[in-house]
Each structure stands twice: as C-alpha cells, then as structure tokens.
Amino acid sequence: MGRFIEGADRTQATLLPETIDDYVGDENPVRVVDAFVDALDLAVLGFDGVIPEETGRPSYHPATILKIYIYGYLNQVQSSRGLERECHRNLELIWLTGRLAPDFKTIADFRRNNGPAIRKVCQQFVALCRGLDLLDARIVAIDGSKFKAVNAKTKSFTREKLKRRLGEIDAAIEKYLVELDRADEVVSKTGMSVPEARLARAVKKLAYCRREANALKAIERRMDSSGEMQVSLTDPDARAMATTSRKPRVVGYNVQSAVETKHHLIVAHEVTNLGYDRDALAMMAHAAREVMPSDEIEAVADKGYYKGEEIVACEEAGIPVTVPKPHTSNAAAHGRFDRADFTYIARDDAYVCPAGARLTYRFTNVEAGKTLHSYWTDACGSCAIKGRCTTSKERRVRRWEHEGILERVQKRLDDDPNKMSLRCQTVEHPFGTIKAWMGATHFKMKTLEHVATEMALHVLAYNLKRVTAVLGVPKLLGAI
C-alpha cells in the first residue's frame, strides 16, 4: 500500500502469541474495576452464591458478574443483552472476566437478585474515597432530579387525568351514537343507505371508545378502593412529576443526591417517587454527614428544599444549611407590603412596619402543629399608606417560634450569595453526566427497589471515573 502504515497480516501465525494481559495497558481503568471488586468481601456485603453449591452445575462467581456490570456502567452499556454481546467481542471485558461470557439471563438475574448488596458496593467506594482524603470539603450541595421510568405517559393516570379522559371518551361516544342515529333516520325517511364503510368505521370507533371507558373506570375503581392518587400500569412505583415549563411532566422517579464541593464526588443519594424536594433536606444532610470525615459540614440547596421543619431539624442537628426562601407572598403579588418589609426587633419582641409603627405581641396559638405568635398595632386606621399594606382593619404579622433559625439561614445567604452558584456548579453536573450515560430512556428496570439498584451502579461508575481522573490509575490501584 505504498508509504502508509500497515497492519499485521491476519493469517500470519506468530511464534510467541501475545497474552490477554498485553491488550490492557497499565493505566487502563479496567484494572481499577478488577482490583476494587477483588478487594471486596462479597459474602459480608450479602451477595448470593459466594459459597458454591456442592452439587449441580457450577455457577459464575458473583465477582465476575459484578465486574461486568461496573465495566458496563462505566462505558454506557447497561442492558444485560448488550453486556453479553460485549463479553464476546470486547478485549477489556475478555481480560476482566478471563474469557468468561455469561448469557444475558444470568447477567440480568444477578442485578435483580443482589440489589441491596450492589448498593453497599457503592457505599464501599465512598468509604474508599474517604480513606483517600478525597471527601475533605466542608460544604455539600444537595439537589434532586427527575429520571424517566419504564412507563409511558399514556400508561400513567391521576384522578384529574382520568376525569378529563373519561369526559373526552363520553363526548366521542355521543358523537358516534348521533352519527349512527342519523344514518338510521336517513334510511327510514329516504330509503337511501349510508356507505357501509362509513358505518363500519363508526361502529368500530364506538366499540373502541367503550372498551377504553371500561378500562379507565376499572382504574378509577382501583384508586377508590386502594386510596391511591396515581396509578402507573407498567411500573407501579413510578409517578408523574412536574419538571420544567417546556417539559411539564415526566413519569419516573426523583433522585436525591449530595455532592461534596471539592472533587464533586457523590457522597450520598436516594431514589424516591415523590415529585417534590421539600421533605428531603434533613434526610440528605444527615446521610452526607455520616460518610464525610468531619461532622462539621454545611449543606447548600435550592429554594425547592425550603421547608421550616426541615431547616430546623438540620440546624438542631448541628448542620448549618443555606437555602433561599421562595417568593410566595400574595400581598406582594397584589402590590402590597409583604412580611419581609416588617423588621423584627428581638430585644423588644416587636415588629416595625414600613410606616414606622410598632406591632406588639398579642397572643400565641398553635396551627398545623406550629406555635405561632401574633403581632399587630392599633395605628393602622390612621396610617397614610394603609392601602399599600392591608385591606383589613389592621395588618397582623405572625411569627413561628423557630423563626430566628430561618432568619439566621437567610443572613447566611445574604453574607455569601455565591453559595448558590457553587451549588449549581457542584451538584447539577453529575446529574447531567449520568443522564447522558443513560440515554433517552433513563432507567431500564421497574419498581423502586430495582431502580435504586440501577442508580447505585450509575453513581458508583460516576464516582469511579471522577477518582480515576483526580488520582490517576496507578495511584488508585496502589490505594486499593
């Protein structure tokens, strides 16, 4: 071929054939996968089949299948059939498994049957990172993201959706019945028949609508008997969740994560099927502190996590949090002063309004489990700007007994507003990376338990790739 670099002759025999090990370089990340799994005590972690049966056909060692999965998730191959295919043609997997090639059923059963143990492997790698002093950041960023489940939107129902869909079907049934009645009237009065094809199509559509109505009514009866607010037919644990204005709904799961701000490693994660984040702040902050080397950590989250009880739980546990307060004031929306325009004077236990009047303490009551103190003044009637403040006789301000903690959180944000940028730069990148690895369909397994296993493999792969980039393969191998 002239002066081009030429490859080896495929038919040429070699005197000293190359070993499999020659195909995997010393800095290939697959060596990290091999060393990490070999260092685990799989029996303690709870894997099935670590001790082989004395009779019957020999099985694959759990370490072999675990290595296949970790390698697959590192290289965006998550399906059992894809992993089976790679075991036959991928030199790195051939090296990793020693030429073993389990069938897809064996590979799939391993992931389904060893979920809790696989999740512990993810925790073991976080513990390894802690031992390597990679989790010495003082701040963790917390966020949640919606991941699509194996459940189409058309197979997910809420009560509102059922009511709307049944109304549409009833209207369609009425339309086809009117069309059939009109055909009968034409025949009886004129003797002219409507085209058979049109009548057949109307009858077929009518039968289809009635079947749809019966199926939806069965779902409605199921919701009435079970008390469920949502029903997903393919994945029973998946839920319809609001996301952005451009993609208002996704049927899936809400994955919570806590990421340390130095090396951007995911230190804790949790898969939930709640469509909101406001109840997850304390849970994720405590989970992060359990794995961080120091108890003195600070948690940063966005305004979706703002809930007084959650913030107080974190602060009382010694975890300072920074969470912006969402603007939900009805008064401000109507152009009037909102609660933030009233200044609290702690030494006097009183508020000062925008007009300079003092709102004094009046009484305390309990509402929805919260102890609230009420303040107002009798000077509202003569106030020149009363119309900009309230439409009632006087403006009343209520103060929660733990309001001081919320004010301290707000001051923390006012003193360092860059923490919100730090949160965004830290916690949103892992979600974007993992979703890119997953592809358009995200999860491949069904039910919350199995989805949690799948997410643990993604988090393990992400953390492993991050640590490899930070330390390099030789140093990480030495640490393992």
Side-chain angles (χ1 to χ4, degrees):
M1 297 178 63
R3 290 177 51 80
F4 292 106
I5 299 174
E6 297 185 13
D9 186 350
R10 298 188 182 96
T11 62
Q12 177 66 48
T14 56
L15 181 62
L16 298 173
E18 297 170 306
T19 63
I20 298 176
D21 198 57
D22 291 334
Y23 290 104
V24 177
D26 293 338
E27 297 193 5
N28 193 314
V30 74
R31 292 186 179 273
V32 175
V33 176
D34 185 59
F36 173 65
V37 175
D38 287 344
L40 297 173
D41 191 334
L42 299 185
V44 172
L45 294 176
F47 281 93
D48 296 335
V50 176
I51 301 175
E53 299 289 342
E54 295 183 359
T55 59
R57 181 183 178 186
S59 60
Y60 292 99
H61 194 281
T64 301
I65 314 295
L66 181 59
K67 290 176 183 178
I68 292 173
Y69 265 117
I70 295 176
Y71 178 86
Y73 277 75
L74 269 172
N75 293 276
Q76 295 86 65
V77 183
Q78 295 112 34
S79 72
S80 56
R81 291 181 184 271
L83 290 171
E84 178 192 21
R85 187 165 54 248
E86 293 299 311
C87 285
H88 289 280
R89 69 185 186 185
N90 189 308
L91 280 173
E92 291 177 341
L93 265 182
I94 291 172
W95 176 89
L96 189 61
T97 63
R99 291 188 184 273
L100 294 177
D103 63 89
F104 76 92
K105 188 70 166 58
T106 301
I107 296 173
D109 288 346
F110 175 85
R111 181 172 55 183
R112 185 174 62 251
N113 298 333
N114 292 279
I118 291 174
R119 294 195 285 275
K120 290 179 182 177
V121 171
C122 181
Q123 297 168 4
Q124 287 287 306
F125 191 78
V126 174
L128 173 64
C129 295
R130 183 175 62 241
L132 294 174
D133 296 327
L134 295 175
L135 305 183
D136 55 355
R138 204 181 71 83
I139 300 176
V140 295
I142 296 173
D143 199 6
S145 186
K146 313 301 191 300
F147 287 71
K148 287 184 285 188
V150 187
N151 199 108
K153 291 182 181 179
T154 55
K155 298 292 184 179
S156 176
F157 299 94
T158 61
R159 291 187 178 274
E160 294 77 10
K161 184 177 178 180
L162 274 176
K163 183 178 179 180
R164 183 177 67 253
R165 183 68 182 135
L166 282 170
E168 293 171 353
I169 290 177
D170 288 343
I173 290 175
E174 181 65 25
K175 183 184 74 171
Y176 292 124
L177 288 174
V178 168
E179 185 175 342
L180 292 176
D181 290 341
R182 188 170 59 246
D184 291 339
E185 184 181 2
V186 169
V187 172
S188 63
K189 291 184 177 181
T190 66
M192 300 294 294
S193 61
V194 178
E196 289 294 332
R198 183 173 180 179
L199 281 178
R201 184 166 60 251
V203 171
K204 185 177 179 180
K205 291 282 188 180
L206 183 61
Y208 170 78
C209 289
R210 284 174 170 165
R211 287 196 303 270
E212 281 286 296
N214 290 335
L216 294 177
K217 288 175 181 177
I219 295 172
E220 191 175 38
R221 289 193 297 271
R222 170 183 163 181
M223 296 175 76
D224 291 337
S225 61
S226 65
E228 296 173 279
M229 298 305 295
Q230 286 194 39
V231 170
S232 298
L233 300 182
T234 308
D235 183 348
D237 292 338
R239 294 291 179 266
M241 302 177 182
T243 53
T244 63
S245 57
R246 287 181 295 175
K247 294 176 64 178
R249 284 279 173 189
V250 61
V251 179
Y253 295 90
N254 188 4
V255 180
Q256 300 289 329
S257 74
V259 183
E260 53 86 29
T261 56
K262 185 174 181 180
H263 297 294
H264 296 190
L265 295 171
I266 302 174
V267 298
H269 74 279
E270 189 70 31
V271 181
T272 72
N273 57 2
L274 298 176
Y276 48 85
D277 299 329
R278 60 181 176 271
D279 290 334
L281 180 62
M283 173 186 71
M284 295 309 301
H286 282 84
R289 188 171 65 174
E290 287 179 3
V291 300
M292 297 290 280
S294 172
D295 288 341
E296 297 180 358
I297 68 166
E298 180 181 345
V300 183
D302 62 22
K303 62 184 178 181
Y305 287 86
Y306 195 94
K307 184 178 180 181
E309 295 89 335
E310 292 286 310
I311 294 173
V312 170
C314 291
E315 295 279 334
E316 290 181 344
I319 306 175
V321 296
T322 302
V323 186
K325 186 176 182 179
H327 299 290
T328 57
S329 171
N330 289 328
H334 291 90
R336 298 193 297 271
F337 297 121
D338 67 3
R339 193 174 178 280
D341 295 313
F342 291 74
T343 304
Y344 181 68
I345 309 299
R347 66 178 180 273
D348 299 331
D349 189 22
Y351 278 92
V352 176
C353 76
R358 184 176 292 262
L359 283 70
T360 57
Y361 167 75
R362 302 292 179 148
F363 67 88
T364 298
N365 69 321
V366 178
E367 185 176 318
K370 289 185 176 182
T371 301
L372 302 172
H373 308 301
S374 293
Y375 303 78
W376 72 81
T377 178
D378 297 328
C380 289
S382 59
C383 180
I385 56 173
K386 181 177 181 294
R388 302 288 294 175
C389 186
T390 182
T391 57
S392 303
K393 179 181 177 181
E394 72 270 329
R395 176 63 181 266
R396 298 192 177 195
V397 174
R398 296 196 298 174
R399 180 180 179 84
W400 187 31
E401 61 177 337
H402 297 297
E403 197 73 30
I405 294 177
L406 303 185
E407 290 171 350
R408 190 161 66 243
V409 170
Q410 183 61 44
K411 185 178 185 304
R412 196 177 293 133
L413 177 61
D414 294 339
D415 292 343
D416 189 3
N418 291 328
K419 283 182 180 176
M420 288 299 101
S421 298
L422 178 64
R423 181 210 68 82
C424 179
Q425 296 164 6
T426 301
V427 75
E428 293 187 2
H429 176 265
F431 278 137
T433 300
I434 291 174
K435 284 185 177 181
W437 290 354
M438 287 179 160
T441 55
H442 293 177
F443 290 122
K444 300 185 182 302
M445 303 185 76
K446 302 172 188 174
T447 72
L448 182 61
E449 178 187 2
H450 297 316
V451 165
T453 301
E454 195 174 354
M455 193 66 208
L457 284 166
H458 280 294
V459 170
L460 173 59
Y462 174 84
N463 282 342
L464 201 155
K465 187 165 286 191
R466 284 292 304 159
V467 175
T468 302
V470 171
L471 297 180
V473 171
K475 188 174 182 179
L476 182 54
L477 282 173
I480 292 174

